[in-house]
Amino acid sequence: GTKTSSGIPPDDKSMTAAHKSIKLGYKVRVTYKDQTIFVRITDRGPYVKGRCIDLSVAAGRALGCKGLCQVVVED
């Protein structure tokens, strides 16, 4: 079905994320509590007020984040 803004199909098993302004294809560091991961920006969004990044299911699990979490994003 659908494709991300980068043209690839969404994959919740990969370490990816959506961000409004970071260039597609860039890797960013995301930290939650004492866990840090790197994700590739493959899509645009999120389009919900107060949110800066939308992580794939795999990325959220790797961080230990369930649902909404306050994270630090570094590009």
Side-chain angles (χ1 to χ4, degrees):
T2 62
K3 291 185 179 180
T4 62
S5 295
S6 63
I8 62 171
D11 181 8
D12 279 341
K13 295 177 185 171
S14 63
M15 301 291 277
T16 59
H19 193 278
K20 292 178 194 169
S21 60
I22 296 174
K23 287 187 177 186
L24 295 175
Y26 272 39
K27 283 189 176 180
V28 297
R29 181 186 350 224
V30 181
T31 304
Y32 173 66
K33 295 185 178 179
D34 62 343
Q35 295 292 326
T36 298
I37 61 168
F38 288 89
V39 296
R40 184 174 304 279
I41 304 299
T42 59
D43 206 0
R44 292 290 168 225
Y47 296 104
V48 177
K49 186 176 180 178
R51 296 185 192 172
C52 71
I53 195 164
D54 188 8
L55 300 174
S56 67
V57 172
R61 284 187 182 143
L63 281 176
C65 179
K66 297 178 182 176
L68 295 177
C69 299
Q70 190 169 3
V71 299
V72 176
V73 179
E74 301 171 80
D75 60 343

